Structure formats: C-alpha cells, structure tokens
Amino acid sequence: MIERYSRPQMKKVWSEQNKFDKWLQVEIAVCRAWAKYGAIPGEAIPKIEKARYDPKRMEEILKVTHHDMTAFLGSVGESLDAESRFVHLGLTSSDVMDTALSLQLMEAANILAEDVAGLIATLREKAIEHKSTIMMGRTHGVHAEPTTLGLKLALWVEEMNRNSHRLAEAKKVISVGKISGAVGTHATIPPEVEESACAELGIIPAPISSQILQRDRHAQFVTTLAIIASSVEKFATEIRSLQRSEIMEVEEPFEAGQTGSSAMPHKRNPELCERICGLSRLIRGHALTSLENIALWHERDISHSSTERIILPDSCLVLDYILSLFTYIMAKLQIYPERMKENLEITKGLIFSQRALLALINKGLSREVAYELIQRNAIKAWGERVSFFDLLSGDPDVVKHLPKSELEGLFDYGYFLRHVDAIFERLGLG
C-alpha cells in the first residue's frame, strides 16, 4: 500500500546503497581536503576518487569485525592500491556516519517539503472553491454557529504553512557535518580540513561537536515530523467525523469495486483517514525515542544508534506516505453541500441563540436576564423539537423587547459569513 501513495525517492534515500554512497562521498571529500593541505599527495586523489565498495565483500568482513565501518573501509581499501592508507585518515566512524546521515536527512527533508507544498496547494484550491459553502460549526461535537467549509480548509492551509516553516528550520538544524576526530578536539584532523570537506558536501561544520553531532538536532527533526503528522491526523479526524452516517457532509474517495466490509455490503468506511491517524501515532512514538537519544554518556555512547536505524527512515517514509495519501484524499474528497444545509436546520433555529441574546442585551437587558429568557426557550425547543423562532416570537417577555419583525432579521445565515472574504484576504487566499 505504501508504494501506491508514497514516492520511490524516499525509499531510495534510505536504501543501504545510498547510505554507503554517502559514506564514500564523505571519505573522498575529506581526502580532497587533506590534499589541499599537503597531507595526501595530489596524485593519489584521482585514484581515491575511483574507490568503490562491494556490499557482498562488506558482509564477509562484517562477520569477522562486527563493525560496519571497518567492513566498509576494508572493502573500499581492496578497490585501491597503496593509496588506500589515506582513506579515513584521522577520522573516527561517526565523522563519516553522522555527516553522511545529515546528507540523507537533507534529501529526505527536500522530499517532505515537496509533499507539504503539494498538500498546501490542494487544500488552498479546495478552500477557495468552497469559501462560501455554508456548514455547521461544531464545538465539543455539538452544533455551535455556522461557518463555511472554505474557512475550515483555510485554517488547515495556514497550519500547513507553519509546518512548512518548521520543516525548513529542522532541515537547517540538521544540515551540518562533523569531522573532528574521536572526541571532537580536532587532534587528528584540523578544523580547516573539516571546513573544506563540508563545503564540498554542501553543508556547514557544526561549531563544536563531541564524537558525534549532538542529538538535539535529530530530535528537532523527528519532533517536527511528528507535529506535521499530528496536523494531518487532525484533518483526517475531522473528515472521519463529518463522514459519520448521522452527519455525512463529506466522504473520502471510494473507488469502483472497493469494499468496506466483508459482512456488510453497504459499508463505506473512512479507512484511509483512519490509516493516517494510526500511522501518525507511530511517528509521535519515534519522536519520544529521538528525545531519549539526546542524553548520552560523556562524549558518546551508541544507545542512540540502534534506534536511529529505525526511527529516522521510518519517520520519513511514513510521513511521506501520510502526506501523499492525504493529498489524494483531499483532491478526490466528496462534498455534499445539500446535506450541510440539512444539518443546519436540525436544531430548529437554535444556532441563532447568540444573536437573540445580543439583541436583548442591546435593548438594555442585563446579560443574566437576557440569557435566562433565551435559554428557557432554547431548552424547550430542543426538548420538544419545535421551532426556536416560534417560541421566541410567542414569548411575551421576549417580544416586548424584540418584536417579531426584528426577530426575523436575526435568523439570517448571511450574518455569520459577512467577514469570510476579509479572513481569506488576511490569509492571502484568492
């Protein structure tokens, strides 16, 4: 299922081949930097640039060394001659692995940024299309006052714009390299080599590091992904609620031949949105693990390493999937304006209670007296399922302040929509 909605680029980012390619890229960049400062003969660089690794050979070496970096270096060394001694000169494993991981995370962030932009564009289009599609606004799951579907979607657009900024900042924080030796002192590799190698790789050196890049950077990245996933979960939850049989104002796409239940042929379940809600929990769990990875012993331990092999690829792959899937849902969303209008009427006009309350206050009544007059009629209207307007216009305590002709003017849906255009202008939506 993931392949259907997510793009193969993200899977490629987290492939073993791409990881080892990045390792080799870092090693070669460091060799070039060393050559600039005379530590490696210039004539060795063209040969080093042709270095290769063999995954099968790496597996063989790994069985002996139980260390993936030494297995990698052993395979690379076998592709070279005497110049192999210059590869990994002055480096510790994390110099290569952490810097390469940053390159992978940057690639992943670029893909996710495209996903976010695509969802924003789809939401924006739907928001503008349904700017004036009136529907019931609900608080606590209960009818409140009318809003529009366009306003609901415009709210999502603005939230995703914030998520776009968050992702850009998280990418910036992770776009650093670390080539500073065993405990970050640069004792075996000077800062100039780090700066030169990082410049070639398109990143900046961390101003200071220990044996590793500090994991608050990675935690910011994963927690950002968790926030984005949680936003999409919120949107998906709204669609799930609005698709309930009692409401049925929108419906996620249901394709020809699709079935919703093995037992009940009538079922059309919001299973895509439910899938998004479940998967977002996974990313939030990974975010917690990323926070636990910040605290390590002294200059480094490897308690973070095993979890990162899971949480970083998983979070990126799953969010790519979530964003792609929800963009599809929104592009194909079934919208039922007539049902929205029906639902506006089911409370027999109770949604105009605040208008009547404010009108009585404007007539000089205290809030407490006005509230009691309106509430007693509202309770009766709801309990007996009768017209709220008829009750108010038949209540002498109300009509002596608000004649029926004035009451009629209060029961106007257009009142609730009079600032919609201004809100859209403030958001920069056409």
Side-chain angles (χ1 to χ4, degrees):
M1 273 295 193
I2 285 184
E3 279 73 14
R4 180 178 178 184
Y5 296 105
S6 59
R7 297 179 296 168
Q9 295 97 311
M10 186 64 81
K11 186 176 181 180
K12 181 179 178 181
V13 168
W14 296 107
S15 68
E16 288 288 278
Q17 179 180 339
N18 191 49
K19 179 177 74 172
F20 296 138
D21 284 349
K22 293 288 188 294
W23 288 9
L24 186 57
Q25 185 181 353
V26 173
E27 293 282 6
I28 292 173
V30 172
C31 286
R32 289 196 186 109
W34 272 124
K36 289 182 181 179
Y37 296 96
I40 296 178
E43 60 269 20
I45 297 302
K47 297 178 181 179
I48 292 173
E49 289 173 340
K50 295 178 181 179
R52 295 293 179 265
Y53 63 87
D54 182 345
K56 290 184 179 180
R57 180 60 180 142
M58 287 175 59
E59 291 178 8
E60 294 172 355
I61 301 173
L62 186 61
K63 291 177 182 178
V64 178
T65 66
H66 302 287
H67 193 291
D68 48 5
M69 181 55 67
T70 56
F72 170 77
L73 292 172
S75 177
V76 169
E78 290 175 357
S79 74
L80 299 170
D81 294 320
E83 60 276 0
S84 66
R85 65 193 179 94
F86 299 121
V87 176
H88 208 68
L89 184 65
L91 301 180
T92 189
S93 298
S94 291
D95 287 323
V96 178
M97 297 167 76
D98 271 11
T99 303
L101 179 58
S102 293
L103 298 178
Q104 286 180 280
L105 289 168
M106 290 164 62
E107 288 182 351
N110 289 338
I111 294 171
L112 293 174
E114 291 177 4
D115 291 338
V116 169
L119 178 54
I120 290 172
T122 300
L123 291 172
R124 180 187 180 94
E125 180 180 345
K126 290 288 184 182
I128 293 171
E129 180 183 355
H130 292 281
K131 179 171 71 171
S132 301
T133 301
I134 190 169
M135 67 181 298
M136 197 64 245
R138 299 171 174 89
T139 57
H140 308 276
V142 177
H143 284 206
E145 289 184 348
T147 183
T148 74
L149 179 60
L151 281 176
K152 189 183 293 287
L153 299 181
L155 188 78
W156 297 0
V157 170
E158 182 64 8
E159 185 162 343
M160 287 308 300
N161 281 332
R162 292 195 297 276
N163 283 327
S164 179
H165 293 311
R166 290 183 182 111
L167 183 58
E169 181 61 26
K171 178 190 172 185
K172 180 180 178 182
V173 167
I174 206 63
S175 297
V176 295
K178 179 268 172 197
I179 302 169
S180 56
V183 293
T185 60
H186 288 283
T188 57
I189 187 163
E192 296 81 19
V193 172
E194 179 185 51
E195 291 166 6
S196 179
C198 285
E200 179 177 327
L201 295 168
I203 54 179
I204 61 173
I208 185 173
S209 56
S210 59
Q211 191 178 83
I212 59 169
L213 288 171
Q214 301 308 287
R215 261 40 198 179
D216 64 289
R217 296 178 181 273
H218 304 74
Q220 181 173 346
F221 186 85
V222 180
T223 53
T224 296
L225 269 53
I227 291 172
I228 297 172
S230 296
S231 290
V232 182
E233 180 187 8
K234 179 178 80 173
F235 310 155
T237 298
E238 182 70 8
I239 291 174
R240 289 170 59 193
S241 179
L242 294 176
Q243 188 170 328
R244 286 182 294 161
S245 301
E246 295 83 1
I247 299 177
M248 203 52 173
E249 294 178 353
V250 302
E251 187 177 24
E252 71 174 37
F254 194 87
E255 298 180 1
Q258 184 175 343
T259 58
S261 166
S262 63
M264 297 168 284
H266 73 277
K267 295 282 281 180
R268 292 162 66 100
N269 304 322
E271 60 96 5
L272 298 179
C273 287
E274 289 171 340
R275 195 184 306 169
I276 286 171
C277 293
L279 289 172
S280 70
R281 298 168 191 166
L282 182 67
I283 301 179
R284 285 196 294 276
H286 289 343
L288 177 58
T289 302
S290 74
L291 294 170
E292 297 286 349
N293 285 344
I294 294 175
L296 302 175
W297 285 18
H298 305 298
E299 276 57 62
R300 186 225 181 176
D301 63 57
I302 62 168
S303 60
H304 66 290
S305 177
S306 56
T307 65
E308 285 181 352
R309 294 168 191 253
I310 299 170
I311 67 172
L312 295 178
D314 267 18
S315 296
C316 294
L317 285 160
V318 172
L319 185 58
D320 177 46
Y321 174 71
I322 286 175
L323 290 167
S324 300
L325 177 56
F326 194 69
T327 300
Y328 163 76
I329 291 170
M330 290 307 304
K332 301 291 185 180
L333 188 69
Q334 299 299 304
I335 298 168
Y336 305 116
E338 292 304 316
R339 180 64 175 171
M340 293 175 180
K341 292 177 182 177
E342 291 175 15
N343 287 336
L344 284 168
E345 303 289 344
I346 63 175
T347 58
K348 306 293 185 179
L350 287 179
I351 57 179
F352 296 99
S353 68
Q354 183 177 198
R355 290 217 68 196
L357 170 67
L358 294 176
L360 286 176
I361 292 172
N362 288 335
K363 292 291 186 177
L365 275 69
S366 70
R367 171 171 287 274
E368 291 73 22
V369 170
Y371 197 99
E372 192 279 328
L373 286 177
I374 299 302
Q375 188 182 48
R376 77 187 187 194
N377 285 285
I379 291 172
K380 186 175 182 180
W382 185 240
E384 300 178 8
R385 296 296 192 269
V386 295
S387 167
F388 182 52
F389 174 80
D390 288 346
L391 289 176
L392 289 179
S393 61
D395 186 332
D397 293 330
V398 173
V399 295
K400 70 180 180 182
H401 301 287
L402 285 174
K404 185 175 181 179
S405 59
E406 290 188 37
L407 277 172
E408 288 175 343
L410 299 178
F411 283 66
D412 173 22
Y413 289 122
Y415 171 85
F416 299 103
L417 310 185
R418 67 193 195 280
H419 296 304
V420 170
D421 286 340
I423 295 172
F424 268 66
E425 289 175 8
R426 188 161 61 186
L427 294 172
L429 296 174

